[in-house]
Amino acid sequence: MESSARRRVAVARGDGIGPEIMDATLSILEAAGADLEFVPIRIGSAVYAEGTTSGVSDDAWQAISDTKVILKAPVTTPQGGGVKSVNVTIRTAYGLFANVRPCLSYSPYVPTRYPGINLVIVRENEEDVYGGIEHRQSHDVTQALKLISRPGSERVIRYAFEYARHFGRSKVTCFTKDNILKMTDGLFHQVFNEVSAEYPDIQADHWIVDIGTARLADTPELFDVIVTPNLYGDIISDVAAEIAGSVGMAGSANVGAEVSMFEAIHGSAPGIAGQNVANPSGLLQGAIQMLYHLGMGPVASRINDAWLYTIESGVHTADVFDTVHSTKLVGTREFAGTVVANLGQAPRKLAGHRTSTNPVAFSVTPAARRLEEKRLTGMDAFFEWRDTPEELAQMVLSVELDPFELVMISNRGQAVYPNRHPETFLVDQYRCRFLAPAPIRHEDLVSLLGRLVGSGLDLLKMEGLFEFDGAPGYSLGQGE
Ligand code: NAD
């Protein structure tokens, strides 16, 4: 019987294994007495098939805006162009800036070489290459824009520190690739340094993402909370979940100021869909996080206890079954039925896993700051060109450039003019860097572009070059 007091939650059954693991999860929530009303929403394959490229139906937008909480099963993202990822669309449309992925091992009941894994990955959830801003620029070259903003970085980094403080975690580690990506990842790292200074009670360190990931895979106990830009977070959270035991065991919360979405970290696993073999634990863990988020701690703990008890009693789905620690191989439905039967039980061996690592919508408003003085100094103009860089330079220099100077031409970032190595491999997209020694206006750029295009050059795009308080807001060409 429904009562008006029930908390409404939007529920997306998803694709592939989505419907079966969602049914299993909801059956456990209902049996445990979670005081929720499930509002079904349509997203994913069926909506794409209707021609809606976002994959989100109109009624789904409305239901999410009304309920502010989504429990979402995985959705298949069709390969290739034409449609956008539902996951990314919902995360960015509702400002779900922090993707919180607790990662625990359940040793010895779920085999892992690393029995002590207990870490949380806080992944930036809206920026980086996930803006999906991609272009085919020339016959040879495609590009994706990687966007990292100061407020976006600050929100998620503050969230990671607040999370660590709230849950008594001692260290926050930042992963970036700022030895190469000095402006974008460099900004994330810089903001990390600034924010960490406000949390002297929490240790802070930084790793380059490649060696950091290697260490994560080798010595995960080095890490406690990891905060990282979107793409690295996506990759390392699967690595962490898999080495902890199975991607099928980990849940994930997408936290925003108003709306939050809870899910499994894994995908729709089409290869095992409809066979009643998928592990519903990842989605159940997402649902448990949701219950904590909704202030329903007692029912969340009751379900988590029954689930831990089920895992330690050896009743396992195929992905984590082994002949040493498992006692019974079960399907999706039977696993859920066992968790329901175990409601009221408490784990004995996995009692240490009862501490909640639920997300909280901390207030993480970026700090006020002084805006630096911004000055236009030139532009990078990109052209399609199939002859040599020297011939391109000749053509550019035949145009009236004043008040600009051509300071560099690069190919895929490598400087090839005024000097180049004969071995440098060349494709058909070149960047010409123009700088003006004297102050210029945007109109000067537009008029130079007009002259360059007028000479027959095939313009692909331009980027303005700016200085901020006198510091260049652009990177050098390789070898410049
Ligand atoms: P996947 O996570 O679906 O599967 C990877 C491997 O793990 C497969 O072998 C699969 O069988 C296994 N696996 C995953 N979940 C399992 C579970 N609960 N129980 C047992 N085994 C499980 O990754 P994929 O194959 O790369 O992606 C499939 C689709 O899912 C793609 O379209 C992808 O875009 C989408 N996807 C969606 C989400 C999401 O909705 N949040 C996340 C990741 C991938």
Side-chain angles (χ1 to χ4, degrees), residues 17 21 72-79 87 91 101 234 238 242 246-249 263-272 277-282 317 319:
I17 59 171
I21 61 172
K72 187 183 81 55
V75 170
T76 301
T77 303
Q79 301 275 319
N87 303 311
R91 288 169 188 162
R101 297 182 163 196
D234 196 0
D238 272 26
E242 190 69 19
S246 166
V247 286
M249 302 282 281
E263 58 186 338
I265 74 158
H266 60 74
S268 57
I272 55 168
V277 297
N279 188 346
S281 297
T317 46
D319 56 319

Side-chain angles (χ1 to χ4, degrees), residues 379 381 383 396 399 401 434 447-457:
M379 69 170 170
F383 300 101
V396 169
V399 172
L401 298 184
F434 301 95
S447 107
L448 174 58
L449 282 174
R451 295 195 293 278
L452 291 163
V453 171
S455 76
L457 284 165

Side-chain angles (χ1 to χ4, degrees), residues 25-45:
T25 299
L26 296 187
S27 73
I28 297 167
L29 296 190
E30 276 174 341
D35 204 9
L36 298 172
E37 179 189 338
F38 303 121
V39 180
I41 59 170
R42 289 183 319 117
I43 61 175
S45 294

